Each structure stands twice: as C-alpha cells, then as structure tokens.
Amino acid sequence: MASINSIPEKTIERLSEYRRTLLSCHKRGITHIFSHVLAGIHGITAVQVRRDLMLIGFSSDTKKGYDVKTLIDFINGILDSESAMNIAVIGMGHLGRAIAKYLNGKGLKLRVTAAFDIAPDKVDCDIDGIPCYHMDRFEEIVEASDISIVVISSPSRVAPSLVVPIINAGIKGVLNFTSTPLHFPQGIAAENYDITTIFEKVAYFVKESDDMGDKN
Amino acid sequence: MASINSIPEKTIERLSEYRRTLLSCHKRGITHIFSHVLAGIHGITAVQVRRDLMLIGFSSDTKKGYDVKTLIDFINGILDSESAMNIAVIGMGHLGRAIAKYLNGKGLKLRVTAAFDIAPDKVDCDIDGIPCYHMDRFEEIVEASDISIVVISSPSRVAPSLVVPIINAGIKGVLNFTSTPLHFPQGIAAENYDITTIFEKVAYFVKESDDMGDKN
C-alpha cells in the first residue's frame, strides 16, 4: 500500500494491535503498562514498542510505564477518523457474511452498512441487518450511502471485473479477500488478503518440522 | 514464525500466490509465462520472481518463459505434503464456519475435518458436513483424527485458555484469528491473523488521503 505520510504501514498495524491490548488492560482495571510488557504480549522487542510510540510523538513517565487510558486516546487520535467510516461488502457468501458480522460486532469506528451480490435470493434482502443490493446499483448506492471502503469476498474469477466499478464509484480503500490479486491506481489503499496463503504457509512449516522429525 | 529451513517465510507466501495464478493460467490454456508477467500480476518486480524461483532451484528456458505446468508441479513438490493435512476449527461461529467452508471448497491438500465448540446447540452436531465436538474432547479427537493444524476462531477472551490444550494435543500449526495474540513454543508454527488490524490499517490510509484532499 502506498504510504502518503511519514508513519510506516507496519507501525500502523502495530498501533492497531497495541490498542486492542490496551483496551483489554483498561477493562481489567490496569492503569499503567511498561513497554517490555506490551512488547512481550505482541512477541516483539521493547525497543520496537518505544520506537513506534516515539514515531507518533507519544512520551510518558517511564518510571510507572505508559498510562493506559492516555495511550488509548492518543492512538485513537492517530487511527480513527472523526465520524464512523462506512464499508460495503461485495459478495455475501459465507466469508462476506462472516466478515460483516465480525466487524459490526466489534464496536469499531468502521461499519458495514451495505452489501452487494447478484444472486436473486440475496438481492433486495436484509442479510444480518445489512441491506443487500444488486451489483448493478453499486455506484448509485456507494454515493448515496457515503461508502469509502469495500470488502471483496466474491468468487475469485469475478474479482477483476470489480476494479473499474470500484474506481468509478470513488472508493478509497479496498480489502480483497479473493485469490486474485488486484491493483488499483494511487490514491486507493488496497490490501490483498488471501486466506489460502497463510494456510499454505503454516502447512509448509508443519510439513518441514515433520520431515525434520523423521530424520532425527 | 520460526523458520527451520532455508526458504524464507515471505518466499513461501509468494510461492503459494504464484501457484494460484499459474493454476488459473493453466486452466485457461496458457502454457508459458514470463517472469515479468507473473511479477506484474502480483505487483512485484521480475527480479523478485526470479530470485524466489532460483531459491527453490527452479530454472527454465528463459526465451519462452516458464513452462506453467512444470512450475506448478515444482511448487507442489515444495509446498504440499504427500497426504492431505487435517485441520480442526476451534469456535464454530460465523468466522469459523466461513473459514471451514472456504477451505474445504478450495480443493487444497488441507481439509477441515473436525470442529470444537462449547455451545450446546453445536456440540455433537454436524455443521456443514464437519462433526463438531465439545472442547473437553479436544486431545482425544485430535489424536484419533490425526489433526495437525488448528484454526482459532473462538471469542478473543477465550483464546489464552486454548494454548495449553493445543500444546498438549501435539498440534504443529496454529492460525489464530482472534484479537488476542498467542505465543507457542518452538516447533509449533503459529500465525496471529487479526482481521481487525488490516481494516484499521486501510481505514487509516483512507482517512489520511481524505485529510490530504481537504488541504489541497
């Protein structure tokens, strides 16, 4: 993804992860946390945590560790937009529905507010509280519903045909869960996120460790 | 993930991605592909493609490009184990069911053959053709069903309590989709894969590009 500012992509990912840990600490009444504790939870070094927080301009009294609530608010200011962002899901199969339900149950500033499909038993239906429209109406609905991000969970073979409508509709962010990598012009933040890849990767390392075991 | 051999993790990910593209080319009757074409599809450089294939010892007649079928077979030999690997899903909510359905529909050498939950309306039921057991029977079923990989799609708060049963059952690979990062001893390939992170990352870049737009 093209970064148009000075905070690296990986730091943004980690800030999102730190925040979830901090929110869970806050819930349990923990008021302060040391960088090495936060680092331990995320399997990274304390130096990395301190570097990330320095990058966003956060400093704190190091004797007591970071103030959990203050740090949450600080990360909110970096990651969140003022109003909630609307997301549309293209392809309301099992994966699309799972992602919509998962996101809307998280209490994030991101909400799935529309869905698109072409199956007659889905179009013009309410699916888990989300209105599902025919893909023909994509541009119209995106504009009317102020949608800025789309999730692609359609069949992989359909994915390439979605690029032009997505550009034309003025979408700013794309999460592509299909097996077909898609490319968008600069100005559209796109992430290809094929679940098959991580399964095949883990399976490879499992196989290799089995092979090693056989040799020993 | 700790690599115990000489092929880097990122190369393994790309091999999985190349293979899906090659399989799709093969289906459409394409017999040869140049490194720069494969690179273009995946948004990387031709040098990166050639380096990855050199790393696994694949060479070819560069005048005609790579032979698609031969390269697929070669990557199969690297990534796949001889027999299919059995996967169990822990937590058969929407995400767990979607992942199970998605994987079993892909024709991979990876199959979800068992599921675990604690909800009375799921335990001892068949869910989309997958038998669902009570979590109390985890070790017993893992052994009986020769399961080597687990998917964690339980509520995030439950995730930490799964680490010890997973280690005790002799699981070799873990894909954790919850928001709680988990750590496992060496010898267990574990991947923390929180979907919230990529959504928050894309949302951040969308927000930043909006802010830039406002300034212009």
Side-chain angles (χ1 to χ4, degrees), chain B residues 127-170:
Chain B
I127 302 174
D128 304 327
I130 300 159
C132 184
Y133 304 97
H134 195 283
M135 195 57 205
D136 285 349
R137 296 182 63 195
F138 184 68
E139 281 186 54
E140 170 206 342
I141 302 292
V142 163
E143 198 185 338
S145 310
D146 191 24
I147 286 161
S148 43
I149 296 175
V150 291
V151 170
I152 306 179
S153 47
S154 68
S156 292
R157 66 176 187 284
V158 174
S161 70
L162 300 173
V163 172
V164 170
I166 286 170
I167 295 171
N168 286 346

mmCIF file of all heavy atoms in Angstrom, chain B residues 127-170:
data_model
loop_
_atom_site.group_PDB
_atom_site.id
_atom_site.type_symbol
_atom_site.label_atom_id
_atom_site.label_comp_id
_atom_site.label_asym_id
_atom_site.label_seq_id
_atom_site.Cartn_x
_atom_site.Cartn_y
_atom_site.Cartn_z
ATOM 1 N N ILE B 127 -21.893 -29.720 11.327
ATOM 2 C CA ILE B 127 -22.057 -28.350 10.834
ATOM 3 C C ILE B 127 -21.407 -28.269 9.455
ATOM 4 O O ILE B 127 -20.182 -28.414 9.329
ATOM 5 C CB ILE B 127 -21.442 -27.325 11.817
ATOM 6 C CG1 ILE B 127 -22.096 -27.466 13.202
ATOM 7 C CG2 ILE B 127 -21.599 -25.902 11.265
ATOM 8 C CD1 ILE B 127 -21.484 -26.604 14.279
ATOM 9 N N ASP B 128 -22.226 -28.078 8.427
ATOM 10 C CA ASP B 128 -21.727 -28.062 7.045
ATOM 11 C C ASP B 128 -20.868 -29.298 6.741
ATOM 12 O O ASP B 128 -19.818 -29.205 6.092
ATOM 13 C CB ASP B 128 -20.907 -26.789 6.774
ATOM 14 C CG ASP B 128 -21.698 -25.520 7.066
ATOM 15 O OD1 ASP B 128 -22.922 -25.536 6.852
ATOM 16 O OD2 ASP B 128 -21.095 -24.531 7.503
ATOM 17 N N GLY B 129 -21.293 -30.443 7.266
ATOM 18 C CA GLY B 129 -20.586 -31.689 6.985
ATOM 19 C C GLY B 129 -19.380 -31.954 7.884
ATOM 20 O O GLY B 129 -18.680 -32.953 7.722
ATOM 21 N N ILE B 130 -19.152 -31.063 8.847
ATOM 22 C CA ILE B 130 -17.996 -31.243 9.751
ATOM 23 C C ILE B 130 -18.518 -31.590 11.152
ATOM 24 O O ILE B 130 -19.318 -30.852 11.719
ATOM 25 C CB ILE B 130 -17.154 -29.945 9.810
ATOM 26 C CG1 ILE B 130 -16.635 -29.594 8.410
ATOM 27 C CG2 ILE B 130 -16.000 -30.084 10.799
ATOM 28 C CD1 ILE B 130 -16.241 -28.146 8.251
ATOM 29 N N PRO B 131 -18.040 -32.695 11.717
ATOM 30 C CA PRO B 131 -18.504 -33.047 13.062
ATOM 31 C C PRO B 131 -17.955 -32.056 14.093
ATOM 32 O O PRO B 131 -16.774 -31.718 14.065
ATOM 33 C CB PRO B 131 -17.917 -34.450 13.288
ATOM 34 C CG PRO B 131 -16.757 -34.548 12.344
ATOM 35 C CD PRO B 131 -17.093 -33.678 11.167
ATOM 36 N N CYS B 132 -18.846 -31.598 14.968
ATOM 37 C CA CYS B 132 -18.448 -30.630 15.994
ATOM 38 C C CYS B 132 -18.472 -31.293 17.376
ATOM 39 O O CYS B 132 -19.494 -31.838 17.782
ATOM 40 C CB CYS B 132 -19.389 -29.419 15.963
ATOM 41 S SG CYS B 132 -18.898 -28.118 17.119
ATOM 42 N N TYR B 133 -17.328 -31.243 18.061
ATOM 43 C CA TYR B 133 -17.197 -31.892 19.362
ATOM 44 C C TYR B 133 -17.093 -30.863 20.481
ATOM 45 O O TYR B 133 -16.741 -29.707 20.237
ATOM 46 C CB TYR B 133 -15.928 -32.756 19.392
ATOM 47 C CG TYR B 133 -15.862 -33.778 18.293
ATOM 48 C CD1 TYR B 133 -15.154 -33.504 17.123
ATOM 49 C CD2 TYR B 133 -16.493 -35.011 18.412
ATOM 50 C CE1 TYR B 133 -15.080 -34.433 16.096
ATOM 51 C CE2 TYR B 133 -16.433 -35.953 17.398
ATOM 52 C CZ TYR B 133 -15.722 -35.661 16.238
ATOM 53 O OH TYR B 133 -15.660 -36.579 15.232
ATOM 54 N N HIS B 134 -17.366 -31.322 21.706
ATOM 55 C CA HIS B 134 -17.130 -30.441 22.848
ATOM 56 C C HIS B 134 -15.629 -30.276 23.047
ATOM 57 O O HIS B 134 -14.866 -31.211 22.874
ATOM 58 C CB HIS B 134 -17.757 -31.028 24.123
ATOM 59 C CG HIS B 134 -17.845 -30.007 25.224
ATOM 60 N ND1 HIS B 134 -16.761 -29.635 25.980
ATOM 61 C CD2 HIS B 134 -18.884 -29.239 25.661
ATOM 62 C CE1 HIS B 134 -17.130 -28.698 26.856
ATOM 63 N NE2 HIS B 134 -18.410 -28.441 26.675
ATOM 64 N N MET B 135 -15.237 -29.072 23.430
ATOM 65 C CA MET B 135 -13.814 -28.759 23.626
ATOM 66 C C MET B 135 -13.147 -29.688 24.644
ATOM 67 O O MET B 135 -11.952 -29.928 24.580
ATOM 68 C CB MET B 135 -13.700 -27.287 24.046
ATOM 69 C CG MET B 135 -12.315 -26.690 23.960
ATOM 70 S SD MET B 135 -11.558 -26.785 22.296
ATOM 71 C CE MET B 135 -9.807 -26.747 22.750
ATOM 72 N N ASP B 136 -13.947 -30.241 25.555
ATOM 73 C CA ASP B 136 -13.408 -31.193 26.546
ATOM 74 C C ASP B 136 -12.761 -32.408 25.880
ATOM 75 O O ASP B 136 -11.904 -33.064 26.465
ATOM 76 C CB ASP B 136 -14.552 -31.724 27.445
ATOM 77 C CG ASP B 136 -15.004 -30.693 28.458
ATOM 78 O OD1 ASP B 136 -14.302 -29.674 28.599
ATOM 79 O OD2 ASP B 136 -16.061 -30.906 29.090
ATOM 80 N N ARG B 137 -13.202 -32.702 24.659
ATOM 81 C CA ARG B 137 -12.693 -33.915 23.988
ATOM 82 C C ARG B 137 -11.553 -33.595 23.031
ATOM 83 O O ARG B 137 -11.187 -34.432 22.185
ATOM 84 C CB ARG B 137 -13.846 -34.601 23.234
ATOM 85 C CG ARG B 137 -14.937 -35.096 24.171
ATOM 86 C CD ARG B 137 -16.026 -35.805 23.394
ATOM 87 N NE ARG B 137 -15.530 -36.999 22.724
ATOM 88 C CZ ARG B 137 -16.189 -37.642 21.748
ATOM 89 N NH1 ARG B 137 -17.361 -37.174 21.347
ATOM 90 N NH2 ARG B 137 -15.675 -38.710 21.192
ATOM 91 N N PHE B 138 -11.007 -32.368 23.129
ATOM 92 C CA PHE B 138 -10.032 -31.896 22.151
ATOM 93 C C PHE B 138 -8.853 -32.859 21.935
ATOM 94 O O PHE B 138 -8.616 -33.318 20.811
ATOM 95 C CB PHE B 138 -9.528 -30.500 22.556
ATOM 96 C CG PHE B 138 -8.597 -29.878 21.569
ATOM 97 C CD1 PHE B 138 -9.055 -29.473 20.312
ATOM 98 C CD2 PHE B 138 -7.248 -29.695 21.858
ATOM 99 C CE1 PHE B 138 -8.191 -28.896 19.378
ATOM 100 C CE2 PHE B 138 -6.386 -29.117 20.938
ATOM 101 C CZ PHE B 138 -6.856 -28.720 19.696
ATOM 102 N N GLU B 139 -8.164 -33.200 23.019
ATOM 103 C CA GLU B 139 -6.968 -34.050 22.868
ATOM 104 C C GLU B 139 -7.299 -35.408 22.248
ATOM 105 O O GLU B 139 -6.617 -35.872 21.340
ATOM 106 C CB GLU B 139 -6.280 -34.253 24.226
ATOM 107 C CG GLU B 139 -5.439 -33.043 24.613
ATOM 108 C CD GLU B 139 -4.643 -33.301 25.890
ATOM 109 O OE1 GLU B 139 -3.914 -34.314 25.940
ATOM 110 O OE2 GLU B 139 -4.753 -32.490 26.837
ATOM 111 N N GLU B 140 -8.357 -35.986 22.754
ATOM 112 C CA GLU B 140 -8.805 -37.309 22.269
ATOM 113 C C GLU B 140 -9.082 -37.297 20.757
ATOM 114 O O GLU B 140 -8.582 -38.150 20.003
ATOM 115 C CB GLU B 140 -10.082 -37.671 23.050
ATOM 116 C CG GLU B 140 -10.850 -38.865 22.550
ATOM 117 C CD GLU B 140 -12.352 -38.754 22.938
ATOM 118 O OE1 GLU B 140 -12.681 -37.959 23.858
ATOM 119 O OE2 GLU B 140 -13.173 -39.440 22.323
ATOM 120 N N ILE B 141 -9.848 -36.292 20.314
ATOM 121 C CA ILE B 141 -10.247 -36.230 18.902
ATOM 122 C C ILE B 141 -9.054 -35.879 18.000
ATOM 123 O O ILE B 141 -8.918 -36.434 16.904
ATOM 124 C CB ILE B 141 -11.394 -35.203 18.696
ATOM 125 C CG1 ILE B 141 -12.604 -35.549 19.564
ATOM 126 C CG2 ILE B 141 -11.778 -35.099 17.219
ATOM 127 C CD1 ILE B 141 -13.348 -36.810 19.174
ATOM 128 N N VAL B 142 -8.209 -34.972 18.464
ATOM 129 C CA VAL B 142 -7.029 -34.586 17.674
ATOM 130 C C VAL B 142 -6.189 -35.825 17.372
ATOM 131 O O VAL B 142 -5.737 -36.029 16.246
ATOM 132 C CB VAL B 142 -6.185 -33.511 18.412
ATOM 133 C CG1 VAL B 142 -4.788 -33.412 17.824
ATOM 134 C CG2 VAL B 142 -6.887 -32.152 18.339
ATOM 135 N N GLU B 143 -6.030 -36.658 18.390
ATOM 136 C CA GLU B 143 -5.213 -37.847 18.194
ATOM 137 C C GLU B 143 -5.927 -38.845 17.263
ATOM 138 O O GLU B 143 -5.343 -39.338 16.298
ATOM 139 C CB GLU B 143 -4.891 -38.512 19.534
ATOM 140 C CG GLU B 143 -3.699 -39.450 19.365
ATOM 141 C CD GLU B 143 -3.380 -40.243 20.624
ATOM 142 O OE1 GLU B 143 -3.769 -39.811 21.730
ATOM 143 O OE2 GLU B 143 -2.746 -41.312 20.473
ATOM 144 N N ALA B 144 -7.208 -39.085 17.545
ATOM 145 C CA ALA B 144 -7.958 -40.066 16.766
ATOM 146 C C ALA B 144 -8.093 -39.643 15.303
ATOM 147 O O ALA B 144 -8.117 -40.481 14.403
ATOM 148 C CB ALA B 144 -9.337 -40.267 17.389
ATOM 149 N N SER B 145 -8.186 -38.326 15.051
ATOM 150 C CA SER B 145 -8.449 -37.848 13.692
ATOM 151 C C SER B 145 -7.193 -37.351 12.991
ATOM 152 O O SER B 145 -7.287 -36.774 11.908
ATOM 153 C CB SER B 145 -9.483 -36.714 13.723
ATOM 154 O OG SER B 145 -10.598 -37.080 14.483
ATOM 155 N N ASP B 146 -6.047 -37.529 13.640
ATOM 156 C CA ASP B 146 -4.762 -37.153 13.032
ATOM 157 C C ASP B 146 -4.763 -35.685 12.554
ATOM 158 O O ASP B 146 -4.450 -35.390 11.399
ATOM 159 C CB ASP B 146 -4.470 -38.100 11.855
ATOM 160 C CG ASP B 146 -3.036 -37.936 11.353
ATOM 161 O OD1 ASP B 146 -2.181 -37.484 12.144
ATOM 162 O OD2 ASP B 146 -2.788 -38.229 10.167
ATOM 163 N N ILE B 147 -5.122 -34.809 13.477
ATOM 164 C CA ILE B 147 -5.192 -33.380 13.152
ATOM 165 C C ILE B 147 -3.857 -32.719 13.473
ATOM 166 O O ILE B 147 -3.305 -32.919 14.562
ATOM 167 C CB ILE B 147 -6.353 -32.718 13.928
ATOM 168 C CG1 ILE B 147 -7.660 -33.146 13.263
ATOM 169 C CG2 ILE B 147 -6.218 -31.195 13.970
ATOM 170 C CD1 ILE B 147 -8.863 -32.983 14.107
ATOM 171 N N SER B 148 -3.312 -31.948 12.529
ATOM 172 C CA SER B 148 -2.025 -31.316 12.794
ATOM 173 C C SER B 148 -2.086 -29.788 12.868
ATOM 174 O O SER B 148 -1.176 -29.153 13.360
ATOM 175 C CB SER B 148 -0.987 -31.745 11.756
ATOM 176 O OG SER B 148 -1.527 -31.742 10.466
ATOM 177 N N ILE B 149 -3.184 -29.209 12.356
ATOM 178 C CA ILE B 149 -3.314 -27.739 12.356
ATOM 179 C C ILE B 149 -4.646 -27.343 12.984
ATOM 180 O O ILE B 149 -5.653 -28.004 12.754
ATOM 181 C CB ILE B 149 -3.241 -27.199 10.904
ATOM 182 C CG1 ILE B 149 -1.863 -27.482 10.294
ATOM 183 C CG2 ILE B 149 -3.535 -25.693 10.855
ATOM 184 C CD1 ILE B 149 -1.737 -27.080 8.818
ATOM 185 N N VAL B 150 -4.631 -26.281 13.796
ATOM 186 C CA VAL B 150 -5.909 -25.747 14.292
ATOM 187 C C VAL B 150 -6.089 -24.291 13.887
ATOM 188 O O VAL B 150 -5.130 -23.536 13.774
ATOM 189 C CB VAL B 150 -6.091 -25.822 15.842
ATOM 190 C CG1 VAL B 150 -6.247 -27.243 16.301
ATOM 191 C CG2 VAL B 150 -5.005 -25.086 16.572
ATOM 192 N N VAL B 151 -7.347 -23.955 13.657
ATOM 193 C CA VAL B 151 -7.771 -22.579 13.441
ATOM 194 C C VAL B 151 -8.451 -22.128 14.725
ATOM 195 O O VAL B 151 -9.333 -22.824 15.216
ATOM 196 C CB VAL B 151 -8.802 -22.512 12.299
ATOM 197 C CG1 VAL B 151 -9.448 -21.131 12.212
ATOM 198 C CG2 VAL B 151 -8.162 -22.910 10.982
ATOM 199 N N ILE B 152 -8.036 -20.979 15.269
ATOM 200 C CA ILE B 152 -8.726 -20.452 16.453
ATOM 201 C C ILE B 152 -9.646 -19.325 16.016
ATOM 202 O O ILE B 152 -9.197 -18.272 15.577
ATOM 203 C CB ILE B 152 -7.738 -19.951 17.515
ATOM 204 C CG1 ILE B 152 -6.735 -21.051 17.867
ATOM 205 C CG2 ILE B 152 -8.477 -19.484 18.765
ATOM 206 C CD1 ILE B 152 -5.694 -20.635 18.899
ATOM 207 N N SER B 153 -10.938 -19.569 16.099
ATOM 208 C CA SER B 153 -11.927 -18.549 15.748
ATOM 209 C C SER B 153 -12.940 -18.441 16.883
ATOM 210 O O SER B 153 -14.119 -18.191 16.666
ATOM 211 C CB SER B 153 -12.602 -18.899 14.427
ATOM 212 O OG SER B 153 -13.015 -20.259 14.413
ATOM 213 N N SER B 154 -12.442 -18.624 18.075
ATOM 214 C CA SER B 154 -13.260 -18.501 19.287
ATOM 215 C C SER B 154 -13.365 -17.018 19.660
ATOM 216 O O SER B 154 -12.686 -16.187 19.070
ATOM 217 C CB SER B 154 -12.547 -19.242 20.422
ATOM 218 O OG SER B 154 -11.351 -18.551 20.753
ATOM 219 N N PRO B 155 -14.194 -16.674 20.654
ATOM 220 C CA PRO B 155 -14.116 -15.307 21.173
ATOM 221 C C PRO B 155 -12.687 -15.017 21.672
ATOM 222 O O PRO B 155 -12.029 -15.918 22.208
ATOM 223 C CB PRO B 155 -15.106 -15.316 22.349
ATOM 224 C CG PRO B 155 -16.065 -16.419 22.029
ATOM 225 C CD PRO B 155 -15.252 -17.462 21.308
ATOM 226 N N SER B 156 -12.239 -13.764 21.490
ATOM 227 C CA SER B 156 -10.856 -13.412 21.832
ATOM 228 C C SER B 156 -10.500 -13.715 23.289
ATOM 229 O O SER B 156 -9.400 -14.153 23.586
ATOM 230 C CB SER B 156 -10.613 -11.921 21.567
ATOM 231 O OG SER B 156 -10.660 -11.667 20.190
ATOM 232 N N ARG B 157 -11.465 -13.503 24.189
ATOM 233 C CA ARG B 157 -11.158 -13.687 25.617
ATOM 234 C C ARG B 157 -10.869 -15.145 25.956
ATOM 235 O O ARG B 157 -10.214 -15.448 26.955
ATOM 236 C CB ARG B 157 -12.292 -13.136 26.497
ATOM 237 C CG ARG B 157 -13.590 -13.881 26.357
ATOM 238 C CD ARG B 157 -14.695 -13.433 27.285
ATOM 239 N NE ARG B 157 -15.813 -14.352 27.145
ATOM 240 C CZ ARG B 157 -16.666 -14.361 26.104
ATOM 241 N NH1 ARG B 157 -16.527 -13.476 25.126
ATOM 242 N NH2 ARG B 157 -17.646 -15.250 26.038
ATOM 243 N N VAL B 158 -11.342 -16.060 25.116
ATOM 244 C CA VAL B 158 -11.164 -17.496 25.365
ATOM 245 C C VAL B 158 -9.789 -17.964 24.874
ATOM 246 O O VAL B 158 -9.231 -18.939 25.376
ATOM 247 C CB VAL B 158 -12.276 -18.301 24.640
ATOM 248 C CG1 VAL B 158 -12.055 -19.795 24.743
ATOM 249 C CG2 VAL B 158 -13.654 -17.919 25.153
ATOM 250 N N ALA B 159 -9.234 -17.222 23.921
ATOM 251 C CA ALA B 159 -8.029 -17.688 23.221
ATOM 252 C C ALA B 159 -6.876 -18.121 24.145
ATOM 253 O O ALA B 159 -6.313 -19.202 23.945
ATOM 254 C CB ALA B 159 -7.573 -16.630 22.220
ATOM 255 N N PRO B 160 -6.519 -17.323 25.188
ATOM 256 C CA PRO B 160 -5.377 -17.726 26.014
ATOM 257 C C PRO B 160 -5.543 -19.107 26.651
ATOM 258 O O PRO B 160 -4.569 -19.837 26.827
ATOM 259 C CB PRO B 160 -5.302 -16.632 27.087
ATOM 260 C CG PRO B 160 -5.960 -15.441 26.465
ATOM 261 C CD PRO B 160 -7.058 -16.007 25.590
ATOM 262 N N SER B 161 -6.791 -19.481 26.958
ATOM 263 C CA SER B 161 -7.021 -20.768 27.614
ATOM 264 C C SER B 161 -6.838 -21.946 26.653
ATOM 265 O O SER B 161 -6.874 -23.104 27.070
ATOM 266 C CB SER B 161 -8.432 -20.807 28.216
ATOM 267 O OG SER B 161 -9.386 -20.862 27.152
ATOM 268 N N LEU B 162 -6.642 -21.660 25.376
ATOM 269 C CA LEU B 162 -6.504 -22.748 24.399
ATOM 270 C C LEU B 162 -5.048 -23.170 24.196
ATOM 271 O O LEU B 162 -4.779 -24.232 23.634
ATOM 272 C CB LEU B 162 -7.098 -22.305 23.051
ATOM 273 C CG LEU B 162 -8.586 -21.934 23.083
ATOM 274 C CD1 LEU B 162 -9.011 -21.340 21.744
ATOM 275 C CD2 LEU B 162 -9.442 -23.151 23.410
ATOM 276 N N VAL B 163 -4.121 -22.320 24.665
ATOM 277 C CA VAL B 163 -2.707 -22.581 24.392
ATOM 278 C C VAL B 163 -2.254 -23.935 24.956
ATOM 279 O O VAL B 163 -1.650 -24.745 24.240
ATOM 280 C CB VAL B 163 -1.821 -21.425 24.932
ATOM 281 C CG1 VAL B 163 -0.346 -21.774 24.821
ATOM 282 C CG2 VAL B 163 -2.117 -20.130 24.171
ATOM 283 N N VAL B 164 -2.572 -24.190 26.221
ATOM 284 C CA VAL B 164 -2.095 -25.431 26.857
ATOM 285 C C VAL B 164 -2.719 -26.684 26.205
ATOM 286 O O VAL B 164 -1.988 -27.614 25.836
ATOM 287 C CB VAL B 164 -2.302 -25.386 28.392
ATOM 288 C CG1 VAL B 164 -2.038 -26.753 29.027
ATOM 289 C CG2 VAL B 164 -1.377 -24.336 29.005
ATOM 290 N N PRO B 165 -4.047 -26.717 26.008
ATOM 291 C CA PRO B 165 -4.608 -27.884 25.295
ATOM 292 C C PRO B 165 -3.981 -28.109 23.914
ATOM 293 O O PRO B 165 -3.751 -29.256 23.519
ATOM 294 C CB PRO B 165 -6.100 -27.537 25.146
ATOM 295 C CG PRO B 165 -6.382 -26.516 26.184
ATOM 296 C CD PRO B 165 -5.108 -25.805 26.491
ATOM 297 N N ILE B 166 -3.691 -27.020 23.200
ATOM 298 C CA ILE B 166 -3.110 -27.155 21.854
ATOM 299 C C ILE B 166 -1.713 -27.766 21.935
ATOM 300 O O ILE B 166 -1.367 -28.663 21.166
ATOM 301 C CB ILE B 166 -3.092 -25.775 21.138
ATOM 302 C CG1 ILE B 166 -4.525 -25.404 20.711
ATOM 303 C CG2 ILE B 166 -2.136 -25.775 19.945
ATOM 304 C CD1 ILE B 166 -4.690 -23.980 20.209
ATOM 305 N N ILE B 167 -0.928 -27.291 22.901
ATOM 306 C CA ILE B 167 0.422 -27.857 23.077
ATOM 307 C C ILE B 167 0.312 -29.333 23.485
ATOM 308 O O ILE B 167 0.978 -30.194 22.912
ATOM 309 C CB ILE B 167 1.221 -27.060 24.147
ATOM 310 C CG1 ILE B 167 1.464 -25.624 23.675
ATOM 311 C CG2 ILE B 167 2.544 -27.757 24.465
ATOM 312 C CD1 ILE B 167 2.046 -24.706 24.746
ATOM 313 N N ASN B 168 -0.546 -29.607 24.457
ATOM 314 C CA ASN B 168 -0.678 -30.977 24.966
ATOM 315 C C ASN B 168 -1.147 -31.963 23.904
ATOM 316 O O ASN B 168 -0.783 -33.132 23.919
ATOM 317 C CB ASN B 168 -1.656 -31.018 26.149
ATOM 318 C CG ASN B 168 -1.032 -30.428 27.404
ATOM 319 O OD1 ASN B 168 0.191 -30.232 27.466
ATOM 320 N ND2 ASN B 168 -1.854 -30.143 28.396
ATOM 321 N N ALA B 169 -1.975 -31.476 22.984
ATOM 322 C CA ALA B 169 -2.520 -32.371 21.957
ATOM 323 C C ALA B 169 -1.512 -32.642 20.844
ATOM 324 O O ALA B 169 -1.767 -33.465 19.963
ATOM 325 C CB ALA B 169 -3.799 -31.767 21.373
ATOM 326 N N GLY B 170 -0.386 -31.943 20.869
ATOM 327 C CA GLY B 170 0.648 -32.189 19.859
ATOM 328 C C GLY B 170 0.383 -31.515 18.518
ATOM 329 O O GLY B 170 0.900 -31.939 17.484
#
